[in-house]
Amino acid sequence: MLCELLPSLTTPYWISFQVSGQFNFLQRLFPGNILITIIADKDKLADGNSFTEAVQYVLDRCPLVSPSQLEAPWGSGLVAIGVNCCRPSLVSPSLRAIRRISESVGLICYPNSGEVWVQTPDLPEGIWTGSEEAPYLSLVEEWLEIMTESSSHSPPAIIGGCCRIGSAQIRELAKIVKTKKDAQEMKK
């Protein structure tokens, strides 16, 4: 199950409660859980709390699922943790921060394009402003390096896109990932 945290340190309490076994029915329906947290700026959640504290809080309370347990019919726990809907330039520092806390948890990211969503009283429907600060696709190989450099087992690594990342970019992402995977297979 994919659970997205609101950009607040108080939200992990609900996620931790769910992942740690309180909702057996959901765990049977959705073995293995993926946890995403949103960051606002570098090492801070949008509410100003520490990103690493939120990651540590969740890791302290949620059992990790090993890759071998992913196929188990009733296995459940934390499969991966990462970031979503953040600027592409914030992904690498966030993934590195998670990796410093745990080499065993899988990493996941699906950033937005780097533009900013703005709503004002004059523009209540909102609008995207600015431009891509760092081209999304130019950072994918760096994210893959961080995601696969773990010295322990091979935790899941998942990359995608959020707001303003379209199907053309996702197709290019898939090509980059396949090329990287093929190159690693050739080395073996």
Side-chain angles (χ1 to χ4, degrees):
M1 175 175 19
L2 177 62
C3 300
E4 291 187 14
L5 296 183
L6 297 175
S8 165
L9 190 55
T10 57
T11 308
Y13 295 95
W14 179 84
I15 299 297
S16 176
F17 179 74
Q18 177 185 355
V19 175
S20 65
Q22 302 301 316
F23 294 129
N24 247 350
F25 176 70
L26 285 177
Q27 288 181 329
R28 288 178 179 265
L29 285 177
F30 306 104
N33 293 288
I34 297 174
L35 178 63
I36 308 295
T37 187
I38 302 170
I39 59 173
D41 193 11
K42 202 161 186 171
D43 62 348
K44 299 286 184 196
L45 300 176
D47 69 356
N49 281 299
S50 165
F51 171 73
T52 54
E53 285 179 23
V55 170
Q56 187 65 61
Y57 178 88
V58 172
L59 289 172
D60 287 346
R61 288 158 179 81
C62 301
L64 292 180
V65 174
S66 71
S68 64
Q69 293 172 307
L70 288 176
E71 300 301 321
W74 307 117
S76 64
L78 184 63
V79 175
I81 189 166
V83 293
N84 77 309
C85 207
C86 63
R87 295 188 320 252
S89 64
L90 296 178
V91 171
S92 292
S94 300
L95 295 178
R96 284 187 185 105
I98 296 167
R99 191 49 75 225
R100 281 191 298 274
I101 296 169
S102 172
E103 287 189 1
S104 300
V105 69
L107 297 175
I108 184 168
C109 69
Y110 55 102
N112 61 33
S113 65
E115 297 165 276
V116 178
W117 180 254
V118 176
Q119 284 181 291
T120 65
D122 297 334
L123 194 61
E125 65 275 4
I127 188 170
W128 286 99
T129 64
S131 61
E132 288 187 42
E133 55 159 35
Y136 168 86
L137 292 170
S138 70
L139 298 171
V140 170
E141 287 192 35
E142 180 178 333
W143 302 337
L144 286 168
E145 285 297 319
I146 296 167
M147 292 176 146
T148 58
E149 66 190 16
S150 174
S151 62
S152 62
H153 68 281
S154 300
I158 304 164
I159 299 179
C162 199
C163 300
R164 309 285 281 188
I165 299 296
S167 58
Q169 288 163 306
I170 296 298
R171 278 191 295 277
E172 289 301 313
L173 165 67
K175 288 178 188 174
I176 293 169
V177 170
K178 182 177 181 337
T179 300
K180 176 102 173 149
K181 184 178 177 186
D182 291 347
Q184 288 175 337
E185 295 285 323
M186 295 283 288
K187 289 181 184 178
K188 291 181 181 179

